Structures are given as structure tokens and as C-alpha cells.
Amino acid sequence: MAKTFAHRRNKIINQSPSIEDIKARWPALFEASHIQDEFQRITMVQLDSKFMSKLDEHTPRLLKLFHSKGGSMGLQLQAILLMAPSNPSIDMSRGLVIRCLMVYLRESTDQLLKEYDDPDEDNVSQDLAAASMTIYRAKNNATEDIGIVVEGIKVLTALGTFPRACSLLIGLAYALNLAYPKEIRQTLEVFQKLFLELDCSKLSPKLNTLKNKLLA
């Protein structure tokens, strides 16, 4: 197993194969459980549990920051927070906090999460084919699919919740040695460096300020 992991890791890092090639050679890498295992082998961190626990830990301070903002940003943040029902589930609360975090970082939520209600399948496929790295949510009648697209290819489906998809997106980035798209780089770096506490000594000025506010 160790030799297989080392060989695969070497191929992915040094040869930079396309997502299509990786899926053909190592299809198990595109199963959620294998991504979590791969991430733990690379980082020694349990992906899902660490991500969610740190998101929950920082949520009270993040909400305080969001409520403190005025102007147009403050209005955007309040509009998102008002989407929550009176008794939201933990996953809904986490999802709204992530949306607010993106607004707070001045990044577009549409770049991280593409949502389709009663979608036309051809239009959705065409739209996602142009995505370099994104999460999608397609809702049709009583069914809903949440998944991840990389290089225009659906690599994970049926993930259940938006926060879980965010966690697995970081796992994929590590497993496949992917660079973060510039449009959502700061949000993904918060996931990686503040929630998963990986490479957290190298923070941009904006992330360092956010970290100090969360730890104040």
C-alpha cells in the first residue's frame, strides 16, 4: 500500500496528468472515502472531522464579524443570514457561514457554488464544462445532487451537503495536486490554513488579519 501510494503520488506531482487521465488510471481516488484516506496519508489530518470542528469553533466569532459590517457588504451578509429558518440544521448553518465568509473576503459565492433549480440538463452540462474547480447543487423536484467539478468533469456526486463538498474540495486539491483558482483562492486558503491548520504559517495579510480576529 505504501509503495502504491508513493508511486501514484510521484506520478501526479511530477507528470501533472489531466483529471481525465487520473480518473482512468486511479478511479478509486474519486470516491469520497478514498479522498479522505489520501488526504490523511499526505497531511496526517482527518479531513472531514477537522474541517467541521474548526468551522463550528470559529462560527461564533465569524458571526460577530459579519454582524459588525455595515454598508453594502453588511446588507449582503444580512441577506444571507436571513435565509436561515427559525431552527436551521447544523449543515444549513455551516453553509450560510461559508457563504458569508466568501462575501466577507470579497469573493463571489457563485464561483464556489453553482446552483441549479429545476435545471435543463444540457445547459447545466454546458455550464459546468467550463468550470475549472467548483461545487454544484442541482435540485429537480424532490431530488438534489451536490457534487464537485474539476477541469469541466464531474469528479464527485451525491455528497449530501455543501459544507461536506467544501471539505472534500480541499481533499481533492491535495490528492490531485491542484492549484486554487484565483477567484476563490482566499476562501480555499481559509479552509486549508485556518480550518484544517495546514501551512498556516504562510498567510496573506487579509487572512492573517482574519486569523487574529478569530483568535482575539
Side-chain angles (χ1 to χ4, degrees), residues 47-157:
L47 177 60
D48 195 58
S49 59
K50 179 66 175 285
F51 183 95
M52 300 305 170
S53 66
K54 281 296 177 179
L55 171 57
D56 293 345
E57 178 184 321
H58 290 310
T59 286
R61 186 72 65 172
L62 284 169
L63 290 174
K64 186 175 180 180
L65 290 176
F66 301 155
H67 285 298
S68 72
K69 297 299 291 186
S72 61
M73 178 183 287
L75 291 174
Q76 290 180 65
L77 292 168
Q78 289 305 312
I80 293 172
L81 293 172
L82 287 172
M83 293 168 62
S86 57
N87 188 27
S89 68
I90 183 64
D91 286 316
M92 177 174 284
S93 296
R94 287 166 173 166
L96 294 178
V97 168
I98 291 171
R99 290 172 186 260
C100 286
L101 174 64
M102 294 199 72
V103 172
Y104 186 84
L105 295 170
R106 300 187 184 278
E107 293 186 334
S108 172
T109 57
D110 293 341
Q111 294 294 326
L112 178 63
L113 175 63
K114 297 185 180 296
E115 299 186 272
Y116 307 95
D117 290 316
D118 296 320
D120 179 276
E121 189 171 330
D122 290 338
N123 289 338
V124 172
S125 297
Q126 186 175 2
D127 188 41
L128 293 178
S132 61
M133 183 189 294
T134 195
I135 296 166
Y136 71 87
R137 170 189 163 274
K139 187 174 182 180
N140 195 345
N141 297 322
T143 64
E144 181 178 77
D145 179 31
I146 295 176
I148 295 174
V149 169
V150 178
E151 294 181 6
I153 298 172
K154 285 186 180 182
V155 294
L156 286 171
T157 61

Side-chain angles (χ1 to χ4, degrees), residues 191-202:
F191 294 168
Q192 173 198 327
K193 299 182 179 186
L194 300 189
F195 294 172
L196 294 167
E197 298 180 319
L198 295 169
D199 202 21
C200 50
S201 63
K202 301 175 183 178

